Amino acid sequence: MTAKTSPCPDDGAYGTGRPTARHAPVILGNEPGSFARSVLAERHPALIRQVRDAFPYGPGQHEALEALLNEITNGVIEPLGPSEPDHEQWAVWGRPHFGRSWFDAPFLWSESYFYRRLLGAVGYFGAGPWRGVDPFAPFKRAELRGPAVDEELGALDTLADAPADERAAALLQASLWGNRADLGFRVTEGETAPGDTAGAVVADDSALLWRLLPAGGGSTIAVVADNAGRELIPDLILIDHLLVERHAERIVLYVKPHPYYVSDAMTADVVDCLRRINEAPGEAGGIGGRLWEAVATGCLEIRAHPFFCAPLPYEDMPEDLRGEFADVTLTILKGDLNYRRLVGDRMLDATESFAGRTAYFPGAVAAFRTLKSDVVVGLERKVLEALEQSGAAWRTSGTHALIQVRA
């Protein structure tokens, strides 16, 4: 069952007034049995309990977390307190939604606001001792220390002597399927829910990707990261390959400015991953050393921007970020949330053109994503029909993936 939608009376909460093709209904979370509702009704309460149990929080945090749990399950959306540093910004973004059920607000907005409220409940932005303490850090660190990472890094030894094109294809697939390593997804789906065998790639524009990035072309590439840990590591290894093989002279890696969506990557997570790679034996250690040096020389630059934690589609990106994307050869957006923000978190026709939905984007753009939400565009009709006839939850289970490019 798909999510209940609205003809989008709330566009004013998102927009800058720029003409867009926003015609499809916005996804809400108020349809029983829908994916969006399961996130709001199951995943978010489970996450509150996990965060509460992961730290020795005091009575204040426990009370705030319990209040948030009651609000998201039984109450209405409350605004941030006036003492919060971003109170005024969220007052603008949330004006159409405050006082409504969490399930009746646009799914993209309610998810984003939930994580902002969770950070507030644990004192992340406060003046006390918990200021700046990532509530998701224990989950990220446990994954990074896990044996699966050792296996994945060890597998690089078998690629060391392979031809460059074979390595490129393998590393691209690793970066794509690394998006399954989503801690928030596993809160409710279980450790093995995305599947232990590779699912289908429902759209594959990788040939166009490589045509846009010829070796020695002097390209600058922007990579907008998604998850830390087991997704970010293969992203970094792909970045190393792009630099070594001169598909890019410079890469800008964009991360979140603060914790978001459980496993989303911040600068601290990049550093943790670089250390993990650098300390590994064999081929991985060499890659780690090169990446460390690439940051030192400016060939790999890490940036953060507040927009990446905003409840807005990319159509509404601020002009400074628009200018940064316009100045690069290609922007690669990783993951499911970036995809939803790129094409619109709406019940779109799955055969609608990816190029059409992303025509507003300032420059060439690529999406690497495993499917973990209802939104998808750019599929061939015969592919869509086969997927629909399969009876599988292919849109939301993490068993299918895509690489889509608009030149």
Side-chain angles (χ1 to χ4, degrees):
M1 183 177 290
T2 56
K4 186 178 289 186
T5 58
S6 156
C8 195
D10 301 307
D11 272 359
Y14 291 89
T16 59
R18 187 180 299 111
T20 70
R22 292 172 177 158
H23 53 80
V26 171
I27 295 177
L28 308 178
N30 52 13
E31 178 68 23
S34 68
F35 173 77
R37 187 174 183 88
S38 72
V39 170
L40 299 176
E42 301 171 21
R43 184 182 300 180
H44 288 177
L47 182 58
I48 289 176
R49 299 183 185 101
Q50 286 191 347
V51 167
R52 180 195 62 199
D53 296 341
F55 285 91
Y57 288 129
Q61 281 100 345
H62 279 267
E63 181 179 342
L65 288 169
E66 187 63 29
L68 179 59
L69 179 60
N70 290 334
E71 179 184 320
I72 66 174
T73 53
N74 302 310
V76 297
I77 304 170
E78 301 289 349
L80 292 178
S83 63
E84 295 285 352
D86 50 354
H87 165 76
E88 292 185 2
Q89 181 63 82
W90 277 102
V92 173
W93 289 336
R95 187 175 295 120
H97 314 310
F98 295 140
R100 300 167 65 181
S101 166
W102 283 79
F103 299 97
D104 292 334
F107 181 40
L108 178 65
W109 187 92
S110 59
E111 271 200 292
S112 187
Y113 189 55
F114 165 77
Y115 284 99
R116 174 58 186 86
R117 291 287 304 281
L118 182 60
L119 293 179
V122 299
Y124 184 87
F125 296 109
W130 293 97
R131 180 181 178 86
V133 176
D134 182 357
F136 312 128
F139 316 133
K140 296 176 183 177
R141 291 168 183 162
E143 181 187 65
L144 204 56
R145 292 194 300 264
V149 175
D150 290 323
E151 295 175 8
E152 289 158 2
L153 292 176
L156 293 170
D157 292 340
T158 63
L159 283 176
D161 297 323
D165 57 343
E166 291 183 17
R167 288 201 310 275
L171 296 178
L172 185 64
Q173 288 295 310
S175 177
L176 172 64
W177 288 106
N179 184 228
R180 287 185 296 178
D182 180 339
L183 296 170
F185 185 82
R186 296 205 300 267
V187 165
T188 52
E189 300 300 324
E191 187 70 24
T192 60
D196 293 324
T197 59
V201 177
V202 299
D204 186 1
D205 291 338
S206 55
L208 175 57
L209 176 80
W210 293 119
R211 287 200 298 272
L212 289 174
L213 302 174
S219 301
T220 296
I221 302 173
V223 177
V224 182
D226 186 37
N227 298 315
R230 287 178 62 200
E231 177 176 356
L232 186 56
I233 282 178
D235 292 345
L236 289 167
I237 292 168
L238 177 61
I239 285 171
D240 171 73
H241 178 83
L242 294 174
L243 291 171
V244 167
E245 297 298 329
R246 296 183 55 79
H247 294 289
E249 289 189 359
R250 181 169 172 270
I251 294 178
V252 181
L253 177 63
Y254 288 91
V255 295
K256 305 296 191 298
H258 58 71
Y260 198 57
Y261 278 60
V262 188
S263 55
D264 282 24
M266 303 185 297
T267 301
D269 301 309
V270 178
V271 174
D272 286 345
C273 287
L274 287 175
R275 286 189 174 128
R276 184 72 163 86
I277 301 169
N278 200 32
E279 293 167 358
E283 179 69 9
I287 291 171
R290 288 197 299 268
L291 287 168
W292 199 276
E293 181 66 17
V295 177
T297 60
C299 292
L300 173 58
E301 180 182 354
I302 303 166
R303 293 185 191 173
H305 194 288
F307 177 76
F308 296 121
C309 293
L312 307 174
Y314 275 101
E315 283 184 278
D316 291 343
M317 75 181 84
E319 290 305 316
D320 62 332
L321 188 60
R322 181 177 294 273
E324 291 179 27
F325 288 152
D327 287 340
V328 302
T329 304
L330 175 69
T331 298
I332 298 173
L333 299 175
K334 286 297 309 291
D336 200 76
L337 177 59
N338 276 323
Y339 190 87
R340 291 163 59 194
R341 297 179 74 186
L342 177 66
V343 304
D345 202 39
R346 297 167 175 267
M347 294 307 297
L348 299 165
D349 182 343
T351 63
E352 185 173 348
S353 165
F354 175 78
R357 291 300 302 183
T358 60
Y360 69 87
F361 199 88
V365 62
F368 296 6
R369 174 220 185 187
T370 57
L371 279 61
K372 292 177 286 189
S373 65
D374 288 307
V375 179
V376 66
V377 296
L379 302 190
E380 295 181 3
R381 176 66 62 182
K382 62 181 181 181
V383 172
L384 176 62
E385 289 175 352
L387 290 167
E388 293 293 328
Q389 292 170 7
S390 71
W394 61 273
R395 290 177 181 260
T396 60
S397 62
T399 57
H400 294 72
L402 58 78
I403 297 174
Q404 291 176 320
V405 180
R406 194 219 75 210

